[in-house]
Amino acid sequence: MTAIDRTGTVAVVGTGTMGQGIAQVALLAGHPVRLYDVAPGRAGTAVDAITVRLDRLVEKGRLTAEERDAARGRLGAVTELGGLADARLVVEAILEELGAKQQLFTALETVVSEDCLLATNTSSLSVTAVGGALARPGRLVGLHFFNPAPLLPLVEVVSGFATDEAAAARAHATAAAWGKTPVRCADTPGFIVNRVARPFYAEAFRLYEERAADPATIDAVLRESGGFRMGPFELTDLIGQDVNEAVTRSVWESCFHDPRFTPSLAQRRLVEAGLHGRKSGRGWYAYGEGESRPEPHTAEPRKAPATVGVHGDLGPAAVLAELIAEAGIEVTRDRTSFVSEGFIALPGGTRLTLTDGSAATTDLSGTHIRFDLALDYRTATRIALAPSDLASPEALSDAIGLFQALGKQVSVIDDVPGMIVARTVAMLADFATEAVARGVAGAEDVDTAMRLGVNYPRGPLEWADELGVGWVRRVLWGLDDAYPTGRYVPSQPLLRRATAEGKLFSS
């Protein structure tokens, strides 16, 4: 299916920030663009705002003056829906209310031609429900852009239950022709990004509610150890706590209160207090004049042990043995004794182990200090440690000094199951695996969506492949044992993959 021809008019209904951004994308792709808004004068104001943006692009050398003038000549506002009669594509970007969207598209059906493609930019409503009131719901598709639309490349192309394949294919081709990276997905709560990303926020908020660590420390660990561009507390402050919480609540309610999507009480209290983040001057952090961001908890310098022992296979943390030796610390290897999970033996016998989803204190195989998962232990600049209640101050000091000798800052957190990065990544991997199995989207589209839509350092399915699905399963089993609420039960698709993976490597 080919994209809509560049000579075809694209109409955008709703001229807020998102509507203006979508209009700018279509305009710079070469289309005539018409803007409409129910608020008198607002569409004309949007034309002026887009013109200012075009001028800035010229100033930055990203657009020539001739290209700007040509684009400006293709842009216009209309005061009535009838002014959109010649549109080949209408993109709706109005408020997130089902009735309002249904009313708009019902009215548009009487105005536009039969071959006009209709698209909703909804991020939280069902595309199927939006189209349910239409005489021809087959031509309605979801085109979910991410804010700011001119800059972020991802577009989710959502097929409602009644959407024609030809309509979805044309929408996908058109988004690609506009220079975007479109991904196809089914009409499920949250689509791809807002569905799979829920644990990134939810697990951080739960850790905060458990007093495992403060927001600044959790953010720092996920950035500096997990490789995420932003931590969940600073990111939701940027998005808006009211917006992020509303999406979480919408997905939870649409999934019939599935415990995996349970909203955060702490975030609800922020919203109730009007602390919505940057736009209100305060959220998890304060943004007033003279305010500074709290520093993450970072351990004071400690002396590294002269020697450590490495027992068994450290799994995803195997490179640590090399890094320790490179730091000039003597490493003794014991490859003969059988251990179910590898560990680093500190002087005095305390075991330094990669978190497996269980708390260090509940591990009966010895006295443990857990360390968290890292995207890349060689390049990570921070590591989180969680000591058992039985670990001595001397053992914790040795563990801190060991990682500091590797060039890492160290954050000591409470002994919570799964720690920070590991439980987040395990949940993301499980959500992504289940999304593919349920037909939400293909594996490549899921990973692409998470990398481009929310700037994850690695697609969650790719990450699971590198860690091993069996490792992900172990972490989730440990979490489910610690919190038997159903929140952490591994999905059936992940269990099947892990079983198949185990048989493959044992054969």
Side-chain angles (χ1 to χ4, degrees):
M1 179 61 67
T2 58
I4 293 171
D5 190 272
R6 280 185 168 82
T7 61
T9 298
V10 173
V12 178
V13 180
T15 56
T17 300
M18 182 58 78
Q20 290 180 29
I22 295 170
Q24 180 178 326
V25 171
L27 187 66
L28 293 181
H31 291 275
V33 174
R34 299 290 173 267
L35 302 180
Y36 172 77
D37 200 293
V38 68
R42 192 171 180 183
T45 300
V47 168
D48 295 338
I50 294 171
T51 300
V52 170
R53 292 178 190 169
L54 297 177
D55 289 339
R56 289 176 183 164
L57 291 175
V58 173
E59 292 171 3
K60 294 178 180 179
R62 298 176 184 172
L63 201 67
T64 67
E66 292 77 13
E67 290 170 332
R68 174 200 58 198
D69 294 343
R72 178 63 185 86
R74 297 192 302 272
L75 178 64
V78 300
T79 57
E80 301 289 340
L81 275 182
L84 308 180
D86 65 338
R88 300 294 307 283
L89 166 65
V90 181
V91 183
E92 165 272 313
I94 66 172
L95 71 168
E96 287 286 271
E97 289 185 5
L98 178 60
K101 292 180 188 293
Q102 289 178 327
Q103 184 177 8
L104 169 64
F105 282 114
T106 300
L108 281 169
E109 277 194 309
T110 68
V111 171
V112 298
S113 63
E114 291 188 359
D115 63 348
C116 177
L117 184 63
L118 303 178
T120 173
N121 183 58
T122 185
S123 60
S124 60
L125 298 176
S126 163
V127 173
T128 302
V130 172
L134 302 184
R136 293 184 55 215
R139 61 170 164 170
L140 178 74
V141 65
L143 272 181
H144 180 213
F145 288 78
F146 288 74
N147 195 30
L151 298 180
L152 294 185
L154 184 69
V155 177
E156 291 178 321
V157 181
V158 187
S159 292
F161 188 77
T163 300
D164 293 336
E165 170 58 26
R170 172 153 287 186
H172 186 279
T174 299
W178 291 358
K180 296 300 182 181
T181 303
V183 292
R184 294 282 300 271
C185 63
D187 183 24
T188 57
F191 309 142
I192 301 174
V193 172
N194 280 330
R195 179 190 183 95
V196 176
R198 289 351 291 164
F200 182 69
Y201 313 111
E203 293 311 309
F205 299 159
R206 180 162 186 149
L207 287 163
Y208 167 77
E209 290 170 347
E210 293 178 5
R211 296 297 185 261
D214 59 280
T217 299
I218 295 170
D219 276 352
V221 170
L222 282 163
R223 285 196 316 268
E224 300 169 35
S225 184
F228 292 92
R229 184 75 59 86
M230 297 180 73
F233 295 93
E234 57 189 339
L235 180 55
T236 52
D237 267 357
L238 178 63
I239 294 169
Q241 298 301 332
D242 53 336
V243 174
N244 182 263
E245 202 264 352
V247 172
T248 298
R249 188 166 295 275
S250 173
V251 173
W252 177 61
E253 291 173 350
S254 298
C255 291
F256 307 104
H257 295 184
D258 186 325
R260 296 175 303 163
F261 297 101
T262 302
S264 161
L265 179 59
Q267 188 182 36
R268 174 99 291 255
R269 293 291 180 257
L270 276 185
V271 174
E272 290 173 339
L275 305 179
H276 295 165
R278 288 180 180 271
K279 62 186 177 184
S280 68
R282 183 181 168 194
W284 296 109
Y285 303 113
Y287 298 93
E289 185 175 351
E291 297 282 359
S292 58
R293 180 73 62 84
E295 292 294 323
H297 172 78
T298 303
E300 295 294 324
R302 306 291 175 87
K303 183 179 179 181
T307 182
V308 298
V310 175
H311 298 254
D313 183 3
L314 298 180
V319 73
L320 285 178
E322 296 177 20
L323 298 180
I324 294 169
E326 291 170 8
I329 298 169
E330 182 182 353
V331 178
T332 60
R333 298 297 301 257
D334 181 0
R335 304 176 187 274
T336 58
S337 63
F338 173 79
V339 290
S340 58
E341 297 293 337
F343 63 91
I344 298 169
L346 297 172
T350 295
R351 296 182 175 190
L352 190 56
T353 52
L354 173 62
T355 180
D356 61 357
S358 65
T361 304
T362 61
D363 194 322
L364 302 180
S365 62
T367 301
H368 288 256
I369 297 173
R370 298 277 196 247
F371 61 90
D372 207 350
L373 180 69
L375 174 70
D376 182 339
Y377 285 100
R378 186 172 288 278
T379 59
T381 57
R382 183 178 297 271
I383 292 293
L385 298 179
S388 162
D389 294 344
L390 304 175
S392 68
E394 293 77 16
L396 179 58
S397 180
D398 282 340
I400 293 170
L402 177 65
F403 279 105
Q404 288 175 339
L406 307 186
K408 320 298 183 189
Q409 292 186 305
V410 177
S411 292
V412 179
I413 68 171
D414 193 31
D415 181 24
V416 289
M419 301 187 68
I420 298 173
V421 180
R423 73 194 287 178
T424 299
V425 171
M427 288 291 281
L428 289 171
D430 191 37
F431 273 45
T433 300
E434 187 188 42
V436 173
R438 285 178 175 247
V440 174
E444 184 177 350
D445 277 355
V446 168
D447 274 352
T448 297
M450 302 313 293
R451 286 195 306 268
L452 299 184
V454 277
N455 288 315
Y456 284 3
R458 194 168 287 156
L461 296 168
E462 176 191 4
W463 216 336
D465 287 341
E466 290 196 12
L467 294 169
V469 181
W471 183 86
V472 174
R473 178 183 60 184
R474 285 196 301 275
V475 171
L476 293 175
W477 273 345
L479 287 164
D480 182 53
D481 186 60
Y483 307 101
T485 62
R487 180 186 180 105
Y488 299 104
V489 175
S491 67
Q492 283 300 310
L494 186 124
L495 290 174
R496 289 175 61 183
R497 279 197 61 195
T499 300
E501 180 185 87
K503 289 181 178 178
L504 177 66
F505 287 110
S506 63
S507 60

